């Protein structure tokens, strides 16, 4: 963008924001000549998480099969109301870096908005927050495990 023209193209910014929502990306950056624009968002919006729950209920059974009867209960009666699902496809990390203490363990008390794990997507580390306060009852993923959109990650009661 030239120094003489300080006006931003708000329509372009709005279009990019809509594109972020439609594609579930965390950021978009465009650059042309001396014009550069970056639109980013936080991924702690509750709407996509609850939207994905009904479609994802059958998927976790094969992935969580070693946990005996825990996955069978949500599948038989629908998803648990405290299930936090992945808002994107990526790799789940239970700690901020290799060898560090995990964000949460089963039995920990969490607050709404507290980071419970990270999902890396396209080399971007997306902090996944607790959607409500409560106690961690179940963790469905292992560290560095690939996850799908809508896949159950953790149950908080």
């Amino acid at each position: 963008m030239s120094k003489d023209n300080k006006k931003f193209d708000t329509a372009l910014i709005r279009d990019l924001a809509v594109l972020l929502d439609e594609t579930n990306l965390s950021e978009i950056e465009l650059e042309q000549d001396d014009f550069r624009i970056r639109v980013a968002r936080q991924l702690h919006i509750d709407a996509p998480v609850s939207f994905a729950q009904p479609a994802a209920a059958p998927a976790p059974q094969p992935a969580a099969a070693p946990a005996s009867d825990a996955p069978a209960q949500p599948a038989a009666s629908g998803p648990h109301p405290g299930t936090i699902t992945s808002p994107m496809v990526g790799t789940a990390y239970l700690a901020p870096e290799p060898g560090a203490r995990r964000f949460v363990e089963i039995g920990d008390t969490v607050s709404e908005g507290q980071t419970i794990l990270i999902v890396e997507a396209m080399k971007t580390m997306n902090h996944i927050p607790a959607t409500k306060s409560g106690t961690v009852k179940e963790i469905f993923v292992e560290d560095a495990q690939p996850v799908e959109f809508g896949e159950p990650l953790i149950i908080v009661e």
Side-chain angles (χ1 to χ4, degrees), residues 51-102:
F51 174 77
Q53 287 176 356
Q61 285 181 324
S68 69
D69 62 321
Q73 292 172 348
S77 62
H80 187 281
T83 302
I84 298 170
T85 60
S86 180
M88 66 195 72
V89 174
T91 303
Y93 294 101
L94 301 175
E97 61 185 38
R101 186 177 178 276
R102 290 179 167 202

Side-chain angles (χ1 to χ4, degrees), residues 6-95:
K6 298 288 183 186
K7 202 171 198 181
F8 289 99
D9 184 355
T10 57
L12 175 60
I13 295 170
R14 289 178 205 273
D15 289 345
L16 290 174
V18 168
L19 185 60
L20 281 177
D21 286 335
E22 290 174 352
T23 59
N24 205 27
L25 293 173
S26 60
E27 66 182 64
I28 295 177
E29 186 172 336
L30 298 174
E31 186 171 348
Q32 182 177 17
D33 301 325
D34 63 342
F35 175 75
R36 186 176 121 175
I37 186 167
R38 179 177 172 264
V39 179
R41 67 179 174 126
Q42 295 291 327
L43 292 176
H44 63 274
I45 299 170
D46 294 338
V49 174
S50 57
F51 174 77
Q53 287 176 356
Q61 285 181 324
S68 69
D69 62 321
Q73 292 172 348
S77 62
H80 187 281
T83 302
I84 298 170
T85 60
S86 180
M88 66 195 72
V89 174
T91 303
Y93 294 101
L94 301 175

